[in-house]
Amino acid sequence: MLKMERMISNLVRHKSRYNKDILIELQDDLIYGIHPVHMALASGRRQIHKIFFNKGSLKAAELAELAKQRHIPCQVLIRPHLDQLTRNTSRYKDHHVHQGIAADVSRLYHIPIDYRVPQI
């Protein structure tokens, strides 16, 4: 009986840890997923303000380690907080696949191509 009460108390404590609200202020755009964050790190066209990742994802942890080597701040988030973060960025999508990583990055401005001038 005592063992069962300890298990229940651990479950309640574990659940209450997830219910804590955290405040994250984004500076610009939020991108999420292994490949978009990797490409943002590799290309260097965007300034990366902060990386949010889940330690449970091996690839996300590797990308966060790469970001730390480049002196980009990283913050560990649990999966429900990552879900909430990506859900708040676009309310038009029902399901967001963040794969355990998201990044606060500067906006990417596209340069329009003038089709009247020949491109070399």
Side-chain angles (χ1 to χ4, degrees), residues 14 17 40 55 61 117:
H14 187 67
R17 182 174 51 158
K55 284 185 179 179
V117 178

Side-chain angles (χ1 to χ4, degrees), residues 113-120:
I113 297 175
D114 189 4
Y115 290 105
R116 294 173 288 179
V117 178
Q119 303 296 317
I120 297 176

Side-chain angles (χ1 to χ4, degrees), residues 82-118:
L82 270 174
D83 291 340
Q84 188 65 32
L85 181 66
T86 56
R87 193 176 301 121
N88 286 341
T89 58
S90 175
R91 297 178 193 267
Y92 299 109
K93 290 183 180 178
D94 290 335
H95 184 67
H96 301 274
V97 182
H98 53 73
Q99 298 173 321
I101 193 161
D104 180 16
V105 296
S106 64
R107 293 189 185 270
L108 182 63
Y109 295 103
H110 300 283
I111 301 171
I113 297 175
D114 189 4
Y115 290 105
R116 294 173 288 179
V117 178

